[in-house]
Amino acid sequence: MPVLLLATLINAFGNGAYLTTSVLFLTTVAGLSPAMIAIGLSAGAAAGVLAMTPLGYVADRYGPKRLSMLSMVVLAGAYTGLLAVHSVVPFALLSCLIAVATAMVKGANGALAAGGVPPGQRLAMRARMRTMSNAGIGLGTLAGSVPLLVHHDLAYVVVLLVNAATFLVAAVLLTRAPAVAPQVTPAGGPRLVALRDRPFLAFAALDGLLSSTYNDLLAIGLPLWLATGAHAPLWLISVALVINTAGCVLLQVRMTRGVHDLAAAGRSALRGSVVIALACGVFAATAGRAPWTAGALIVVAAVVHVLGELWLSTGSWGILFELAPPWAQGQYQGTYFAGRGLGDMVAPPLITACVLGLHAGGWLVLGLFFATGGLLYRPLTRWAGAQGSLSVPEAPLSTSR
């Protein structure tokens, strides 16, 4: 669906621009302290995790297209509402609203992508969406750097309003996307079936933790390592992030080739986890090296890392699409992203403790963590098959709402 891809690109551009300047906007324009910001964002994160699965269910029952459009309009209003925030309580409330609406968009767009194309094209569609998301965030980050140079309150306000406007533009674009019919659940079955699917819950928890951790390796682990352990310049952080973004944009769709079933998806996830473990080993090898040697190794580690990330993310999506019943794509997508939200809470302290507490040995611990986690994908997928997670219950469908 080209319209969904374009909407994803535009929305990601606004998000990238705002994330680049959000802290400065909240501190200089809104006048919030770092502690107030942390409280508000934590409240929002918790609200988003709790809302993921129920809102995914709502998207299934009432159609993901209109729920996604409604959520984008809400997000446009919520971000604009940040202009009136000057204390912690309104900020926390708006953060919760933003997180809940974002949860709805993720679940609804996942269901829209899954239901809008034939099953055999779902993985490629999801890869294209991630490509557009990475490209949009990259362009938005570049655009957001301009206000940082200007360093004026008005510039930060403009970025905020541009971000709000991208939600409205994306919502308008989605009016042209094909509608996915509302789904019905088997009569007599649980409404939130994803929360009773133990193999899937185990997968969502494992994948959420691994995915959040590999995302934070470059955003948190590498900066800490360059500041405390490796004798290499800090600008290598930008180099590593550029390599990661370019790799995701150029190679993500290619990595989906050959992943056509659950077994292949499990192998892709395992391969990606092992390759990321190797990247952690390369990061560890930079300890005590000369600056140019450490710098070269960090570039190598960044390349290895992005290859592992691409294989792991491809395998994750393949497992997700195979485990979710056709009538519950929204709530399974929501539960999957809830696992990612839980991972986002665990990964930062985990990486910080390893890198700052154990130094080079901490990278090896992280590598062992990825290798061990990767080995769990295949038994989890076999468990799912044995429990019948892949089949739709043989029962009459209920049309009741």
Side-chain angles (χ1 to χ4, degrees):
M1 288 186 290
V3 171
L4 180 58
L5 295 176
L6 181 58
T8 300
L9 176 67
I10 292 173
N11 193 206
F13 172 83
N15 288 336
Y18 174 70
L19 289 175
T20 305
T21 62
S22 59
V23 173
L24 289 173
F25 168 82
L26 293 172
T27 54
T28 62
V29 179
L32 301 178
S33 68
M36 292 177 179
I37 295 173
I39 291 171
L41 293 179
S42 296
V49 169
L50 293 174
M52 287 284 186
T53 303
L55 290 179
Y57 170 80
V58 173
D60 286 326
R61 297 291 282 163
Y62 296 97
K65 175 179 171 178
R66 55 181 173 178
L67 266 295
S68 180
M69 293 168 55
L70 174 61
S71 299
M72 288 182 178
V73 173
V74 170
L75 284 167
Y79 275 106
T80 303
L82 289 175
L83 293 172
V85 165
H86 299 289
S87 60
V88 65
V89 173
F91 175 61
L93 292 175
L94 277 178
S95 293
C96 290
L97 179 60
I98 288 171
V100 170
T102 300
M104 174 63 85
V105 170
K106 288 181 177 180
N109 282 358
L112 191 60
V117 298
Q121 299 178 18
R122 287 173 177 171
L123 194 55
M125 180 63 186
R126 185 63 184 83
R128 293 188 184 98
M129 287 177 66
R130 188 169 191 245
T131 298
M132 291 297 101
S133 180
N134 277 279
I137 289 174
L139 293 173
T141 300
L142 290 176
S145 65
V146 175
L148 297 180
L149 297 174
V150 176
H151 194 49
H152 190 279
D153 288 1
L154 180 60
Y156 302 138
V157 170
V158 169
V159 171
L160 175 70
L161 294 176
V162 167
N163 184 37
T166 61
F167 285 103
L168 295 178
V169 173
V172 171
L173 285 172
L174 285 183
T175 61
R176 304 180 62 184
V180 174
Q183 302 297 308
V184 290
T185 57
R191 292 181 182 274
L192 298 181
V193 63
L195 296 182
R196 300 196 179 192
D197 188 340
R198 288 181 294 173
F200 183 79
L201 291 176
F203 157 71
L206 170 68
D207 191 76
L209 184 55
L210 291 180
S211 298
S212 296
T213 305
Y214 75 60
N215 281 329
D216 286 344
L217 285 180
L218 299 184
I220 296 176
L222 181 57
L224 291 175
W225 183 236
L226 289 176
T228 62
H231 301 290
L234 292 176
W235 51 260
L236 283 168
I237 300 170
S238 297
V239 173
L241 292 175
V242 168
I243 290 172
N244 186 267
T245 301
C248 290
V249 170
L250 297 175
L251 300 175
Q252 186 70 76
V253 176
R254 182 184 297 271
M255 289 296 193
T256 65
R257 296 175 183 173
V259 181
H260 302 303
D261 55 27
L262 187 61
R267 289 192 296 269
S268 180
L270 169 60
R271 184 185 308 118
S273 299
V274 171
V275 171
I276 294 175
L278 293 176
C280 290
V282 178
F283 279 123
T286 62
R289 304 285 182 177
W292 68 270
T293 304
L297 287 173
I298 286 171
V299 171
V300 171
V303 173
V304 175
H305 174 277
V306 73
L307 292 175
E309 176 181 338
L310 294 171
W311 272 313
L312 179 50
S313 59
T314 297
S316 299
W317 301 332
I319 295 171
L320 168 62
F321 286 133
E322 290 291 333
L323 295 184
W327 44 268
Q329 284 287 339
Q331 65 169 289
Y332 271 71
Q333 295 272 349
T335 304
Y336 172 79
F337 284 114
R340 182 70 64 87
L342 293 174
D344 289 341
M345 298 178 189
V346 175
L350 172 65
I351 292 173
T352 300
C354 286
V355 174
L356 294 184
L358 301 175
H359 307 291
W363 284 107
L364 297 179
V365 170
L366 289 169
L368 180 62
F369 166 75
F370 278 104
T372 303
L375 291 172
L376 295 176
Y377 277 102
R378 296 184 70 180
L380 278 178
T381 55
R382 287 196 294 268
W383 180 27
Q387 293 293 315
S389 298
L390 308 185
S391 62
V392 180
E394 296 294 333
L397 294 182
S398 167
T399 59
S400 63
R401 298 193 183 280

